[in-house]
Amino acid sequence: MTGPYVLGLQDVDVDRIAVVGGKGAHLGALSRIEGVRVPDGFCVTTDAFRRLMAEAPSVHDDLDRLSRLTADDRETVRTLSARIRRTIEEITVPGDLAAAVTGALAGLGERAACAVRSSATAEDLPTASFAGQQDTYLNVVGPTAVLRHVSRCWASLFTERAVIYRQRNGIDHRTVRMAVVVQRMVFPQASGILFTADPVTGNRKVATVDAGFGLGEALVSGLMNPDVFKVRDGEIVDRAIAVKLRAVHARPGGGTRDVAVDPARQAAPALTDAQVLGLVRLGRRIEAHFGRPQDIEWCLADDGFRIVQSRPVTTLFPIPGTDDQDNHVYISVGHQQMMTDPMRTLGISVWQLTAMAPMQEAGGRLFVDATRRLASPASRAALLDLVGKGDPAIRDALETVLSRDGFLPSLPDADPVGPPPGGAPAPIATDPAVVTELVERNQASLAALKRDIRTKTGPALFDFLLEAFGEHRRMLGDRQSMQAIMAGMEATWWLNDTLREWLGEKNAADTLTLSAPGNITSEMGLAALDVADVIRPHPEVVAFLQGVEDDDFLDALAKLPGGTEARDAIEAYLDRYGMRCVGEIDITRPRWRERPATLLPVILDHVRNFGPGAAGQRFERGLRKAREKEEDVLSRLRTLPDGESKAAEAKRMIDRLRTFIGYREYPKYGVISRYFVYKQALLGEAERLVRAGVLRDREDVFHLTFQEFHDVARSHRVDDELVRRRKEAFRSYHALTPPRVLTSEGEAVSGAYRRDDVPAGALSGLPVSAGTVEGRARVVLDMARADLEAGDILVTAHTDPSWSPLFVGIAGLVTEVGGLMTHGAVIAREYGLPAVVGVERATRLIQDGQRIRVHGTDGYIEILTTA
């Protein structure tokens, strides 16, 4: 059965998606797998859809209008999509097309009951399943009814839900076509869904079977709760048998109806254990054929299982690749760097080449393989202690994995426990000159990089950069620098733990940290206030900046009264901080120097919300509070037994804290400063390749690894298809939520705080900056769109140093990601902002405009009012 309008299922495979859509292509592939039974049927091709659409030229105008809309414009989307559907359904199917369909139908039996199912070309794809977005009709009898329902399937390409799904996945409506699958109807005793990987945890070794009586529509529509079986290694490891009150069955004359289940069968399992295990074996065969976990729809008829659909499971987080079959445990890098968004290929590659530890990529994110450190007792304890101090949820996730007998081997310690030969290294002195020297060294290295890279082009540039990456790693691993960072962190931990024990005071170090010297990130936030001071006196400048829409505004600004001073202030800020941006660990992200308009909403908020001299006032106020706290703590300690000794010890640790805690931010500033130099050189090379006709667009190199880019510079040849696939994959990664901890079985382990001191209804997280504050929640997902007023509480997914200019204008902070020593927490403490981080789904559970109370000392948020 072949032709332009109809193809038999046996004539199609996964390489024919453009002709028969995702569902039809997968059904054709399924029918070729030994032991897999697929109901007989045929596909009405996308050529038939095009033929029909030619009869409705008005639809193309509506599609053009639809393609210009966003998913947020729901009312217009609803109106246009309804009009398109109505137009398609009202078209009479052309005679030659109708004849092709009825001729194919005769092969099934003209009066045979059929399932008529939509099969779009953007459906059942590896990156977007489109599950349930188009329509299916069951128990359709007779040629007239089949043709009518084929038209309905064509029209369902433009249901509101399908249109919005495509908009959110970046798929142009004008490029999508609809095929239709017509199959002989199966009248099953039971049906349901099989996931060959656990859809909740992501574990690839656990299959999940959902089963109910009758047709699967009862399960899909939510009419009944299914039985749920979990299977691992050929054994049912968990089961939940539901009471199934209703089922969907076929009507004798066509269509379906829901009926009551016989009370005697309501609590009986829909499948026997043997049937469950047989179904999972069948699913594993299908999974192996397609090479990825599958979401499989199945029916059980008298003589066995029929498979009526199989699509890739697109919601699973990918697993880092390994060279072995051993178990592995991975810790998210993004949760420590406060950037859990996906990174482009070049960003991942450069970070890997400049990082101190080997890192693996999965789903556009980076992970560290912690398996070896967790497998040996001494290194395991040290790792758990370190991550637990920063983020208790990561520690809990690791302990959850470690509690599973046999998942990780127990290995001997890699190194003997005890002091190294010659005794323990001398601790770093509490001396500000140490920090001064470290900063000067970093600046000298950066200046040398800028000087030496200027003359490098072509393959020589990449050879030079590989050497520069070595210097980069040397700077990061500098022993004295690491000691300075750890000195500040250890002083924080000591003060919090010890003063709680001696004085019963929580998080005392938070106040003692206020306005600590030398913190480049907090200085960046205060400097934005100074820029606002220059702009504020000039109304024409303020009005001009409020209307800026692109990034070439600085030259025009100088033509206004006061504009030269404003331009110079912004330029000076960019000279010092222009290498920063949101998501700055990804070298491909646009820097402030490249897109200076990104900063304007923050600066204009400061113009509106603050008066002159606010930066100095804030710093002095923090300094005064820190001094008062120090005096208070020391005087209270002196009243204790052995008080003079305790006070002297605390004084030493306070001095140590204030000497080194500010330096905690400098190495990251140095890294990002170097990154901007690398990026400018790499983009210069990309522009040369564009001029030579090698690249279509300079940013295509963002989707190549560093080595692949090097190869292109050498060979002057680029794989355009590879770039296209990487772009598509990067877009799909935005829909994935990276876990804190991931296993090689694919299980995403989030961890928990294990607390019982949080009030009912409150959202728990990690307390990182003491104090309690009430205010209006402003849920901000894009720094460039922030609209904050004094007293607002910033609620966002994650913050890296680039968000610091916002911190000076808010009263509190809530994030979904973070730990005690991540950048957002450090700056919140320096500015005295009550802050709670690591609050799961905070940006969805807290609505913009709600009044909330942030308990930064105890680590929870109360929602006080509706938005």
Side-chain angles (χ1 to χ4, degrees):
M1 185 193 309
T2 59
Y5 299 142
V6 171
L7 288 172
L9 283 178
Q10 69 278 5
D11 298 320
V12 300
D13 206 336
V14 288
D15 60 353
R16 305 296 297 277
I17 286 177
V19 178
V20 296
K23 187 180 286 100
H26 280 84
L27 285 168
L30 284 165
S31 67
R32 288 176 163 75
I33 303 173
E34 185 179 352
V36 175
R37 300 170 68 182
V38 175
D40 294 338
F42 59 90
C43 298
V44 183
T45 67
T46 54
D47 284 337
F49 176 77
R50 273 193 287 266
R51 172 87 163 82
L52 183 92
M53 293 290 278
E55 305 286 321
S58 67
V59 169
H60 297 286
D61 294 334
D62 284 340
L63 276 178
D64 286 340
R65 283 193 285 274
L66 198 61
S67 295
R68 290 192 291 270
L69 300 176
T70 67
D72 296 329
D73 196 349
R74 296 293 291 268
E75 191 58 42
T76 312
V77 167
R78 184 178 298 116
T79 301
L80 279 175
S81 58
R83 188 162 71 202
I84 293 170
R85 290 198 308 277
R86 191 164 54 249
T87 301
I88 292 172
E89 288 188 26
E90 289 173 354
I91 298 171
T92 301
V93 179
D96 55 340
L97 203 167
V101 173
T102 54
L105 193 59
L108 299 179
E110 192 168 286
R111 300 299 300 174
C114 295
V116 182
R117 314 173 69 199
S118 304
S119 179
T121 52
E123 181 178 69
D124 296 351
L125 304 177
T127 57
S129 74
F130 279 73
Q133 299 305 312
Q134 283 92 36
D135 291 347
T136 287
Y137 302 96
L138 300 179
N139 199 27
V140 181
V141 181
T144 301
V146 167
L147 281 171
R148 184 169 66 251
H149 286 88
V150 167
S151 288
R152 288 180 178 175
C153 285
W154 284 329
S156 75
L157 187 62
F158 302 104
T159 61
E160 183 184 353
R161 64 182 183 272
V163 167
I164 289 173
Y165 191 98
R166 286 195 295 271
Q167 285 170 322
R168 288 181 173 159
N169 281 273
I171 296 172
D172 190 335
H173 311 297
R174 294 166 295 191
T175 66
V176 182
R177 303 286 181 266
M178 178 67 86
V180 181
V181 176
V182 180
Q183 289 178 279
R184 190 187 303 278
M185 186 69 188
V186 178
F187 302 100
Q189 293 92 40
S191 57
I193 299 170
L194 160 64
F195 292 96
T196 62
D198 190 315
V200 177
T201 69
N203 195 312
R204 308 311 200 259
K205 293 196 173 183
V206 176
T208 301
V209 175
D210 290 4
F213 295 127
L215 291 165
E217 269 46 44
L219 189 156
V220 173
S221 66
L223 185 65
M224 61 90 178
N225 291 324
D227 299 337
V228 180
F229 302 87
K230 291 188 182 294
V231 177
R232 181 183 175 115
D233 298 331
E235 179 183 344
I236 297 174
V237 294
D238 192 28
R239 76 182 75 223
I241 307 303
V243 175
K244 298 170 284 295
L245 302 177
R246 312 292 294 177
V248 173
H249 289 284
R251 293 179 182 273
T256 61
R257 58 177 179 158
D258 70 272
V259 300
V261 175
D262 184 334
R265 299 181 63 221
Q266 288 176 356
L271 297 177
T272 66
D273 286 4
Q275 288 170 334
V276 169
L277 296 176
L279 176 62
V280 170
R281 285 194 296 273
L282 197 60
R284 291 295 183 207
R285 193 177 305 164
I286 295 169
E287 178 185 64
H289 178 85
F290 289 116
R292 65 180 66 231
Q294 296 289 299
D295 165 359
I296 299 166
E297 294 182 21
W298 56 269
C299 298
L300 177 66
D302 291 327
D303 54 350
F305 287 106
R306 303 289 195 283
I307 304 300
V308 295
Q309 188 162 325
S310 185
R311 61 170 72 92
V313 184
T314 60
T315 56
L316 300 175
F317 200 87
I319 307 170
T322 59
D323 298 329
D324 56 49
Q325 299 300 311
D326 297 337
N327 291 336
H328 291 261
V329 181
Y330 305 97
I331 299 176
S332 165
V333 173
H335 283 78
Q336 299 161 67
Q337 290 293 332
M338 296 289 278
M339 209 293 273
T340 55
D341 292 342
M343 299 168 67
R344 292 177 181 84
T345 302
L346 185 63
I348 287 169
S349 180
V350 171
W351 190 264
Q352 288 172 318
L353 288 167
T354 54
M356 293 298 296
M359 294 182 183
Q360 283 76 39
E361 180 274 339
R365 279 78 167 188
L366 287 163
F367 293 85
V368 171
D369 188 343
T371 309
R372 183 67 183 80
R373 292 188 67 183
L374 290 169
S376 58
S379 59
R380 178 192 312 144
L383 177 62
L384 291 174
D385 183 58
L386 182 64
V387 300
K389 285 176 176 173
D391 186 344
I394 292 182
R395 175 173 184 146
D396 183 75
L398 292 174
E399 288 177 332
T400 299
V401 176
L402 289 167
S403 69
R404 293 169 186 159
D405 289 342
F407 186 80
L408 289 182
S410 184
L411 301 176
D413 293 322
D415 300 305
V417 178
I428 192 168
T430 303
D431 182 355
V434 172
V435 172
T436 301
E437 182 187 346
L438 287 169
V439 169
E440 288 174 350
R441 263 193 265 162
N442 201 304
Q443 290 174 338
S445 176
L446 178 65
L449 171 66
K450 290 178 177 178
R451 181 191 65 237
D452 296 342
I453 203 170
R454 288 177 190 147
T455 58
K456 306 297 189 292
T457 61
L461 169 66
F462 294 86
D463 294 337
F464 172 82
L465 282 171
L466 286 173
E467 293 180 14
F469 294 165
E471 167 67 3
H472 184 120
R473 291 191 300 272
R474 190 195 67 74
M475 294 291 296
L476 271 180
D478 180 89
R479 184 166 173 269
Q480 193 174 42
S481 177
M482 297 293 289
Q483 285 180 315
I485 293 169
M486 289 306 299
M489 293 169 65
E490 288 166 353
T492 300
W493 299 332
W494 188 95
L495 286 164
N496 280 337
D497 292 346
T498 307
L499 295 181
R500 183 165 188 169
E501 177 187 345
W502 288 348
L503 299 176
E505 180 158 351
K506 289 183 180 180
N507 305 323
D510 292 0
T511 307
L512 294 167
T513 300
L514 291 172
S515 298
N519 187 315
I520 190 73
T521 308
S522 61
E523 290 170 359
M524 177 172 69
L526 295 174
L529 288 170
D530 292 334
V531 175
D533 283 354
V534 176
I535 291 169
R536 191 179 296 106
H538 306 291
E540 289 184 59
V541 170
V542 173
F544 172 80
L545 293 178
Q546 287 170 336
V548 165
E549 294 183 354
D550 50 42
D551 293 299
D552 59 354
F553 65 90
L554 287 168
D555 289 337
L557 179 61
K559 299 172 184 175
L560 300 171
T564 300
E565 296 93 321
R567 182 197 61 190
D568 292 347
I570 294 171
E571 285 281 9
Y573 189 87
L574 291 171
D575 286 345
R576 185 151 174 77
Y577 305 112
M579 78 294 293
R580 311 219 81 148
C581 67
V582 173
E584 61 191 9
I585 68 170
D586 181 352
I587 197 174
T588 72
R589 289 285 191 106
R591 311 283 135 174
W592 291 343
R593 171 54 80 181
E594 295 168 311
R595 293 192 185 169
T598 304
L599 288 169
L600 294 183
V602 179
I603 293 171
L604 290 169
D605 280 349
H606 292 347
V607 169
R608 184 176 73 248
N609 295 329
F610 293 93
Q617 293 162 17
R618 286 183 67 98
F619 187 83
E620 287 302 318
R621 186 164 61 246
L623 199 58
R624 186 172 63 253
K625 286 183 178 179
R627 287 171 177 159
E628 289 170 354
K629 186 67 173 180
E630 177 179 336
E631 291 171 4
D632 173 63
V633 163
L634 296 180
S635 66
R636 289 160 61 198
L637 286 174
R638 291 189 184 102
T639 66
L640 301 177
D642 198 21
E644 288 299 332
S645 174
K646 285 183 169 71
E649 194 172 359
K651 172 61 175 168
R652 284 194 299 273
M653 296 309 287
I654 292 169
D655 289 347
R656 197 163 177 79
L657 172 74
R658 294 192 64 80
T659 297
F660 292 116
I661 198 64
Y663 180 72
R664 163 76 177 80
E665 293 293 298
Y666 199 88
K668 180 74 171 287
Y669 175 79
V671 165
I672 302 307
S673 297
R674 295 179 71 91
Y675 262 35
F676 192 37
V677 178
Y678 305 154
K679 181 180 185 181
Q680 289 173 306
L682 289 169
L683 281 178
E685 185 61 26
E687 286 167 354
R688 282 187 282 276
L689 291 169
V690 169
R691 291 194 296 271
V694 178
L695 294 174
R696 296 176 183 174
D697 184 277
R698 70 174 192 166
E699 292 192 1
D700 283 353
V701 299
F702 291 168
H703 300 280
L704 302 174
T705 66
F706 182 84
Q707 185 58 55
E708 289 165 349
F709 189 1
H710 192 176
D711 293 341
V712 171
R714 243 192 325 252
S715 68
H716 275 215
R717 290 194 300 273
V718 67
D719 185 343
D720 290 326
E721 176 59 20
L722 174 67
V723 171
R724 186 197 66 77
R725 288 199 309 271
R726 294 258 178 86
K727 287 180 179 178
E728 183 180 305
F730 175 69
R731 187 176 65 241
S732 73
Y733 292 153
H734 283 84
L736 300 174
T737 300
R740 286 184 173 89
V741 170
L742 180 68
T743 75
S744 51
E745 292 183 348
E747 184 178 2
V749 190
S750 295
Y753 293 113
R754 311 290 177 188
R755 298 173 55 188
D756 55 10
D757 59 344
V758 175
L763 307 179
S764 64
L766 181 66
V768 296
S769 185
T772 301
V773 65
E774 285 185 24
R776 180 181 63 162
R778 295 314 307 262
V779 179
V780 178
L781 301 179
D782 180 352
M783 176 181 158
R785 297 187 179 183
D787 181 15
L788 297 165
E789 295 181 3
D792 284 345
I793 296 170
L794 174 62
V795 180
T796 190
H798 46 76
T799 65
D800 58 16
S802 70
W803 287 71
S804 297
L806 288 181
F807 284 21
V808 298
I810 60 176
L813 175 68
V814 178
T815 70
E816 295 179 340
V817 175
L820 185 64
M821 297 308 296
T822 49
H823 300 276
V826 171
I827 304 308
R829 288 194 291 273
E830 289 228 6
Y831 286 166
L833 299 175
V836 181
V837 303
V839 182
E840 291 288 335
R841 299 170 47 231
T843 59
R844 282 165 281 183
L845 296 174
I846 300 172
Q847 298 176 30
D848 187 60
Q850 283 183 318
R851 191 163 185 84
I852 64 174
R853 183 183 296 127
V854 177
H855 294 264
T857 305
D858 296 310
Y860 63 89
I861 297 99
E862 293 178 284
I863 298 174
L864 304 177
T865 66
T866 57

